[in-house]
Amino acid sequence: MALIECRQLTKTYRKGESTIKPLDRLDLDVEQGSFLALMGPSGSGKTTLLNLIAGIDHPTSGSLTIDGQNIAKLSRSKLAAWRSDNVGYVFQLYNLVPVLTAYENVELPMLLHPISRKERHERVATALSLVGLADRHDHYPRQLSGGQEQRVAIARAIVTDPAILVADEPTGDLDKPSALAVMDLLTRLNQELGKTLIMVTHDAQTAEYANRTLHLDKGRLADDSVQAAFSGETATTQGAAS
Amino acid sequence: MRLLPFEYAARNLGRSPLRLGISVLGSTLVVVLAIAAFAFVRGMDRSLADSGSADNVILMGAGSEESIERSEVRPNVAGQAEASIFGIRSEAGRAFVSPEVHAALGVALEPDAEPVGQAVFRGVVPAAFQVHPQVRITEGRSFRPGADEVIVGELAATRLGVPNERLALGQVVYVDGRPLTIVGRFAAPNTVMNAEVWAPLTNLQIMTKRDGVSCVVLTLDEGEFADVDVFVKSRVDLELAAITERDYYRQLSNFYKPVKMMIWVTAILIGVGGLLGGLNTMYAAFASRIREVGTLQSLGYPRRAVMLSFVQESMLAAATGAVLGALIALLLLDGVSIKFSMGAFGLLLDGPTVGFGIAAGLGLGLFGSIPPTLRCLRMPIAESLKAA
């Protein structure tokens, strides 16, 4: 069974008189441990899909089952608890809390879990070491470079050991060397720690890090390609999941 | 529910020193004002409430129940009341019956000078000290009967608008050119008497050109108000009305209701102004953090936790302002006396007054933060994350 199963997943918004449908009856399976890139033009529904999988938005209809649980049916408060247990989110603009140090930013999601201060400290230290910023733990975001900020954000996303990492244009605001470092880090998290990684990107080169790329258009799946690194050969299924 | 760390709320205050300054200042002003208004109203109420004793009954001229100063009672009423009313308190054979003349007279500091202001004079006999036990001579002595001597209350100078030293022992004041030597000072804390000038009854009768008195105050022991009422109703010829001293001052307190109301309305309007200012500041502060709110929620923090943290932040600023405001109010207002037509009263700055002021400041922090926080949290998380 796939880790993530979308069935007839639809999201509509009302904007004035008109109805916008960023996701239209999407069917999709994502296996555990895969690295999925979501591509497509603006308004194609890729960020909407990412947000639905991250549990920060509710679908209008259809089902979204993650690890056997249909999160489309969870209440707002249960969904918040589910997020803190299952998902780590990496944002394009890092979204670190400016008044907290790197350590405190990484610690923030841990405070939602009933564990001892000692264990919390160990896990924050481990996460910061993993992203290579152990020596910057007491720096505030304004004292870090963009690349370092994003690495702190990645540490924050993985500190609770979630099964799924979602990343919305994680390199969109970085220079090339920083972008490479961040992508190497995300790839390691996928390959070495087995995290299921779903990433929205506009950049084809960045998408190449993924082992599967979905192209969305007008809320539907336009193209689903599996890269060689993952499957042994590239396979493309036009509209496979629609 | 797991909460955001307190440090988050505390450090957020430092994000904009200007905003913090405005929030603290707003809260400080509201607290000072709330304390001042409450201290004024409570001071006035206490002054009038404590002036009346439950056991004292005032005999006044019928038809003049609303003002002792306008009341006219025949000279022989004191003696007749003492002889006829059952249950008047007495001590060592002296009944607690005090004929009194009340008059507001212009007081000059020099023989031929214009009066500097009006003081409430009370012409009394020694029994006055029995029926008004709140009055204690604190300096000097009482006046001698018939002498041009007076004793002054500790707030009389405030009522007259002159420095306290000007009414010190040995000083002379003038009423219609008549010199009156101050031979004593008295305290009657929290009562209207505290701002009065007391003189021998006969002297005040001469000065006010009247034969009778304004009223007769008597203290009941075993007797009840009904006993006095029976006397008043059976002696229609004396044209008297009886009212308990407490009811008389309660009635006066009602007379000042519009003044108190106006003070409250002013205080509330300024408080609402402070609240709107606080709301505006908080709307601006929280609006710039919509994306951060979305981030916190995406990490798994429930809306209530974010709300509580924002309220905490606002309350911290408000509490700082409230403490500052309370300190400023205590420094500026403690010991301040206000003059009014009945004399003068001290602002009542006690625990409940300061507590009320601090509560007003904290209320400002609470109600000033909830609408902007709700506005931030009403937005879907996905929308919040797109905010600039």
Side-chain angles (χ1 to χ4, degrees):
Chain A
M1 195 172 93
L3 177 68
I4 302 170
E5 293 178 357
C6 305
R7 295 288 176 266
Q8 295 293 295
L9 198 62
T10 303
K11 180 74 187 176
T12 56
Y13 298 104
R14 285 202 68 81
K15 198 171 185 182
E17 291 295 297
S18 54
T19 302
I20 298 167
K21 198 179 264 185
L23 269 190
D24 187 8
R25 289 167 288 146
L26 185 86
D27 289 334
L28 173 69
D29 286 346
V30 180
E31 299 301 325
Q32 182 153 16
S34 55
F35 184 170
L36 183 71
L38 296 174
M39 296 190 76
S42 292
S44 60
K46 52 190 188 303
T47 299
T48 303
L49 177 59
L50 190 82
N51 287 341
L52 288 174
I53 291 171
I56 63 174
D57 207 352
H58 267 99
T60 308
S61 63
S63 72
L64 174 54
T65 307
I66 298 181
D67 202 14
Q69 185 169 24
N70 185 359
I71 65 166
K73 292 197 181 306
L74 292 180
S75 66
R76 188 156 50 194
S77 58
K78 283 194 174 143
L79 199 56
W82 178 86
R83 277 196 302 274
S84 86
D85 288 337
N86 295 284
V87 183
Y89 206 129
V90 181
F91 304 91
Q92 180 182 355
L93 296 174
Y94 337 125
N95 291 12
L96 297 180
V97 178
V99 293
L100 301 180
T101 62
Y103 179 94
E104 289 164 338
N105 264 288
V106 176
E107 189 187 31
L108 212 45
M110 291 300 296
L111 296 173
L112 289 161
H113 296 261
I115 55 172
S116 68
R117 180 188 284 261
K118 184 168 171 278
E119 190 185 345
R120 201 163 67 222
H121 174 75
E122 282 167 6
R123 286 174 70 166
V124 173
T126 304
L128 278 170
S129 297
L130 205 66
V131 299
L133 288 173
D135 56 336
R136 300 291 168 100
H137 66 95
D138 57 350
H139 283 51
Y140 285 92
R142 64 176 180 279
Q143 298 168 312
L144 299 170
S145 68
Q148 287 171 332
E149 277 195 76
Q150 192 60 298
R151 278 149 64 199
V152 173
I154 292 170
R156 179 179 65 184
I158 59 171
V159 72
T160 56
D161 195 24
I164 303 166
L165 283 183
V166 296
D168 190 3
E169 302 259 20
T171 59
D173 202 49
L174 297 177
D175 57 31
K176 193 141 192 179
S178 301
L180 287 174
V182 163
M183 285 318 299
D184 283 343
L185 180 58
L186 289 174
T187 308
R188 267 177 53 215
L189 293 174
N190 169 243
Q191 291 179 350
E192 293 172 18
L193 300 181
K195 301 289 175 201
T196 303
L197 184 54
I198 301 165
M199 172 181 73
V200 164
T201 182
H202 275 108
D203 180 29
Q205 268 188 314
T206 304
E208 280 175 14
Y209 282 88
N211 44 42
R212 183 180 172 196
T213 303
L214 295 182
H215 285 267
L216 293 173
D217 191 23
K218 292 177 185 156
R220 308 201 64 162
L221 207 52
D223 184 58
D224 185 354
S225 56
V226 180
Q227 269 86 316
F230 183 65
S231 62
E233 59 184 70
T234 303
T236 301
T237 318
Q238 290 286 344
S242 57
Chain B
M1 181 178 68
R2 297 275 159 179
L3 302 176
L4 278 156
F6 180 72
E7 289 88 339
Y8 174 69
R11 286 190 211 158
N12 269 324
L13 284 173
R15 278 185 171 187
S16 165
L18 179 67
R19 178 177 71 79
L20 175 63
I22 291 170
S23 302
V24 171
L25 185 70
S27 169
T28 305
L29 289 176
V30 167
V31 170
V32 170
L33 195 86
I35 289 179
F38 205 42
F40 181 95
V41 171
R42 291 190 68 220
M44 184 186 254
D45 281 345
R46 183 178 64 171
S47 152
L48 292 172
D50 289 3
S51 296
S53 156
D55 297 330
N56 281 2
V57 178
I58 308 173
L59 295 177
M60 305 166 75
S64 308
E65 294 92 328
E66 284 180 5
S67 168
I68 288 181
E69 284 175 33
R70 282 202 296 273
S71 158
E72 188 71 47
V73 174
R74 291 179 198 175
N76 58 347
V77 165
Q80 295 195 356
E82 185 180 338
S84 313
I85 298 173
F86 164 77
I88 294 177
R89 185 180 296 174
S90 70
E91 216 169 71
R94 286 167 64 188
F96 283 36
V97 177
S98 167
E100 299 176 1
V101 170
H102 293 235
L105 300 174
V107 175
L109 302 179
E110 302 295 333
D112 302 319
E114 286 292 307
V116 288
Q118 283 204 323
V120 178
F121 277 74
R122 195 183 287 229
V124 294
V125 296
F129 293 96
Q130 292 176 302
V131 299
H132 304 296
Q134 306 100 311
V135 176
R136 280 182 305 104
I137 304 265
T138 52
E139 279 180 74
R141 58 173 174 81
S142 185
F143 45 76
R144 286 171 296 162
D148 279 335
E149 294 176 345
V150 292
I151 57 174
V152 296
E154 56 184 6
L155 291 183
T158 303
R159 178 70 185 84
L160 271 177
V162 299
N164 219 12
E165 308 82 71
R166 190 57 191 80
L167 298 187
L169 292 187
Q171 295 279 0
V172 178
V173 293
Y174 300 85
V175 174
D176 287 334
R178 185 183 182 121
L180 302 169
T181 307
I182 297 165
V183 296
R185 290 175 62 88
F186 66 86
N190 311 319
T191 70
V192 294
M193 291 173 280
N194 214 15
E196 291 180 350
V197 178
W198 282 20
L201 177 65
T202 47
N203 287 39
L204 210 60
Q205 282 175 314
I206 295 164
M207 284 156 66
T208 55
K209 299 178 184 71
R210 60 161 92 186
D211 300 328
V213 293
S214 308
C215 64
V216 174
V217 184
L218 43 95
T219 305
L220 295 175
D221 192 356
E222 292 166 29
E224 293 184 2
F225 178 74
D227 298 314
V228 185
D229 210 33
V230 167
F231 168 74
V232 166
K233 285 180 176 147
S234 61
R235 293 299 307 271
V236 185
D237 58 310
L238 295 176
E239 295 177 341
L240 290 174
I243 184 168
T244 64
E245 203 175 44
R246 185 158 285 178
D247 282 348
Y248 176 74
Y249 285 108
R250 193 173 291 150
Q251 189 179 293
L252 279 183
S253 184
N254 286 340
F255 175 75
Y256 288 106
K257 252 186 186 163
V259 176
K260 289 187 274 184
M261 191 74 86
M262 216 168 68
I263 284 170
W264 277 125
V265 168
T266 310
I268 288 168
L269 283 179
I270 295 178
V272 168
L275 182 67
L276 292 177
L279 275 172
N280 196 29
T281 314
M282 287 299 170
Y283 268 121
F286 294 167
S288 65
R289 290 194 344 233
I290 289 178
R291 186 149 55 94
E292 194 171 299
V293 169
T295 305
L296 293 171
Q297 289 181 271
S298 71
L299 293 179
Y301 281 96
R303 281 151 51 114
R304 274 172 301 162
V306 179
M307 174 140 186
L308 204 68
S309 181
F310 276 33
V311 170
Q312 230 173 29
E313 181 183 332
S314 170
M315 294 286 275
L316 268 176
T320 309
V323 171
L324 267 177
L327 287 175
I328 291 172
L330 286 172
L331 279 173
L332 292 182
L333 304 176
D334 195 26
V336 170
S337 303
I338 308 288
K339 83 179 183 182
F340 74 137
S341 57
M342 287 301 298
F345 63 89
L347 294 180
L348 180 51
L349 272 175
D350 59 355
T353 304
V354 174
F356 170 79
I358 289 178
L362 294 179
L364 187 77
L366 179 66
F367 295 110
S369 63
I370 289 177
T373 307
L374 286 177
R375 187 188 179 196
C376 271
L377 288 170
R378 207 171 40 224
M379 202 180 269
I381 305 173
E383 288 293 311
S384 305
L385 291 171
K386 285 188 211 161

PDB file of all heavy atoms in Angstrom, chain A residues 124-136:
ATOM      1  N   VAL A 124      17.517  18.234  19.163  1.00  0.00           N
ATOM      2  CA  VAL A 124      17.770  19.517  18.485  1.00  0.00           C
ATOM      3  C   VAL A 124      19.243  19.575  18.073  1.00  0.00           C
ATOM      4  O   VAL A 124      19.574  19.974  16.944  1.00  0.00           O
ATOM      5  CB  VAL A 124      17.402  20.709  19.401  1.00  0.00           C
ATOM      6  CG1 VAL A 124      17.819  22.031  18.773  1.00  0.00           C
ATOM      7  CG2 VAL A 124      15.912  20.723  19.696  1.00  0.00           C
ATOM      8  N   ALA A 125      20.119  19.139  18.999  1.00  0.00           N
ATOM      9  CA  ALA A 125      21.556  19.170  18.699  1.00  0.00           C
ATOM     10  C   ALA A 125      21.865  18.248  17.521  1.00  0.00           C
ATOM     11  O   ALA A 125      22.641  18.602  16.620  1.00  0.00           O
ATOM     12  CB  ALA A 125      22.343  18.748  19.939  1.00  0.00           C
ATOM     13  N   THR A 126      21.225  17.081  17.507  1.00  0.00           N
ATOM     14  CA  THR A 126      21.459  16.135  16.404  1.00  0.00           C
ATOM     15  C   THR A 126      20.990  16.736  15.077  1.00  0.00           C
ATOM     16  O   THR A 126      21.698  16.667  14.070  1.00  0.00           O
ATOM     17  CB  THR A 126      20.683  14.816  16.665  1.00  0.00           C
ATOM     18  OG1 THR A 126      21.082  14.324  17.937  1.00  0.00           O
ATOM     19  CG2 THR A 126      20.954  13.781  15.595  1.00  0.00           C
ATOM     20  N   ALA A 127      19.792  17.346  15.092  1.00  0.00           N
ATOM     21  CA  ALA A 127      19.252  17.932  13.855  1.00  0.00           C
ATOM     22  C   ALA A 127      20.163  19.045  13.345  1.00  0.00           C
ATOM     23  O   ALA A 127      20.438  19.137  12.141  1.00  0.00           O
ATOM     24  CB  ALA A 127      17.850  18.467  14.109  1.00  0.00           C
ATOM     25  N   LEU A 128      20.662  19.865  14.265  1.00  0.00           N
ATOM     26  CA  LEU A 128      21.543  20.967  13.843  1.00  0.00           C
ATOM     27  C   LEU A 128      22.866  20.419  13.315  1.00  0.00           C
ATOM     28  O   LEU A 128      23.437  20.961  12.356  1.00  0.00           O
ATOM     29  CB  LEU A 128      21.781  21.938  15.006  1.00  0.00           C
ATOM     30  CG  LEU A 128      20.661  22.976  15.241  1.00  0.00           C
ATOM     31  CD1 LEU A 128      20.865  23.726  16.547  1.00  0.00           C
ATOM     32  CD2 LEU A 128      20.584  23.966  14.075  1.00  0.00           C
ATOM     33  N   SER A 129      23.369  19.341  13.912  1.00  0.00           N
ATOM     34  CA  SER A 129      24.611  18.724  13.425  1.00  0.00           C
ATOM     35  C   SER A 129      24.397  18.162  12.028  1.00  0.00           C
ATOM     36  O   SER A 129      25.249  18.302  11.149  1.00  0.00           O
ATOM     37  CB  SER A 129      25.048  17.576  14.341  1.00  0.00           C
ATOM     38  OG  SER A 129      25.320  18.066  15.602  1.00  0.00           O
ATOM     39  N   LEU A 130      23.236  17.541  11.848  1.00  0.00           N
ATOM     40  CA  LEU A 130      22.929  16.919  10.570  1.00  0.00           C
ATOM     41  C   LEU A 130      22.947  17.936   9.432  1.00  0.00           C
ATOM     42  O   LEU A 130      23.346  17.628   8.312  1.00  0.00           O
ATOM     43  CB  LEU A 130      21.551  16.266  10.665  1.00  0.00           C
ATOM     44  CG  LEU A 130      21.271  15.110   9.736  1.00  0.00           C
ATOM     45  CD1 LEU A 130      22.150  13.911  10.073  1.00  0.00           C
ATOM     46  CD2 LEU A 130      19.810  14.678   9.879  1.00  0.00           C
ATOM     47  N   VAL A 131      22.529  19.163   9.729  1.00  0.00           N
ATOM     48  CA  VAL A 131      22.533  20.191   8.675  1.00  0.00           C
ATOM     49  C   VAL A 131      23.818  21.021   8.709  1.00  0.00           C
ATOM     50  O   VAL A 131      23.941  22.015   8.004  1.00  0.00           O
ATOM     51  CB  VAL A 131      21.293  21.119   8.778  1.00  0.00           C
ATOM     52  CG1 VAL A 131      20.013  20.325   8.618  1.00  0.00           C
ATOM     53  CG2 VAL A 131      21.279  21.896  10.083  1.00  0.00           C
ATOM     54  N   GLY A 132      24.748  20.615   9.572  1.00  0.00           N
ATOM     55  CA  GLY A 132      26.060  21.261   9.616  1.00  0.00           C
ATOM     56  C   GLY A 132      26.068  22.620  10.281  1.00  0.00           C
ATOM     57  O   GLY A 132      26.906  23.465   9.981  1.00  0.00           O
ATOM     58  N   LEU A 133      25.150  22.836  11.212  1.00  0.00           N
ATOM     59  CA  LEU A 133      25.099  24.165  11.845  1.00  0.00           C
ATOM     60  C   LEU A 133      25.144  24.089  13.376  1.00  0.00           C
ATOM     61  O   LEU A 133      24.620  24.976  14.056  1.00  0.00           O
ATOM     62  CB  LEU A 133      23.826  24.900  11.405  1.00  0.00           C
ATOM     63  CG  LEU A 133      23.827  25.393   9.958  1.00  0.00           C
ATOM     64  CD1 LEU A 133      22.461  25.939   9.585  1.00  0.00           C
ATOM     65  CD2 LEU A 133      24.888  26.477   9.749  1.00  0.00           C
ATOM     66  N   ALA A 134      25.769  23.049  13.880  1.00  0.00           N
ATOM     67  CA  ALA A 134      25.823  22.893  15.342  1.00  0.00           C
ATOM     68  C   ALA A 134      26.475  24.102  16.001  1.00  0.00           C
ATOM     69  O   ALA A 134      26.089  24.518  17.102  1.00  0.00           O
ATOM     70  CB  ALA A 134      26.582  21.626  15.694  1.00  0.00           C
ATOM     71  N   ASP A 135      27.469  24.677  15.301  1.00  0.00           N
ATOM     72  CA  ASP A 135      28.191  25.809  15.894  1.00  0.00           C
ATOM     73  C   ASP A 135      27.417  27.129  15.779  1.00  0.00           C
ATOM     74  O   ASP A 135      27.848  28.146  16.291  1.00  0.00           O
ATOM     75  CB  ASP A 135      29.568  25.964  15.226  1.00  0.00           C
ATOM     76  CG  ASP A 135      29.450  26.121  13.722  1.00  0.00           C
ATOM     77  OD1 ASP A 135      28.418  25.677  13.158  1.00  0.00           O
ATOM     78  OD2 ASP A 135      30.369  26.704  13.121  1.00  0.00           O
ATOM     79  N   ARG A 136      26.288  27.103  15.105  1.00  0.00           N
ATOM     80  CA  ARG A 136      25.503  28.343  14.953  1.00  0.00           C
ATOM     81  C   ARG A 136      24.224  28.311  15.788  1.00  0.00           C
ATOM     82  O   ARG A 136      23.292  29.047  15.502  1.00  0.00           O
ATOM     83  CB  ARG A 136      25.116  28.549  13.481  1.00  0.00           C
ATOM     84  CG  ARG A 136      26.296  28.660  12.536  1.00  0.00           C
ATOM     85  CD  ARG A 136      27.024  29.965  12.795  1.00  0.00           C
ATOM     86  NE  ARG A 136      28.299  30.003  12.128  1.00  0.00           N
ATOM     87  CZ  ARG A 136      28.520  30.633  10.990  1.00  0.00           C
ATOM     88  NH1 ARG A 136      27.549  31.260  10.408  1.00  0.00           N
ATOM     89  NH2 ARG A 136      29.715  30.633  10.455  1.00  0.00           N
TER      90      ARG A 136
END
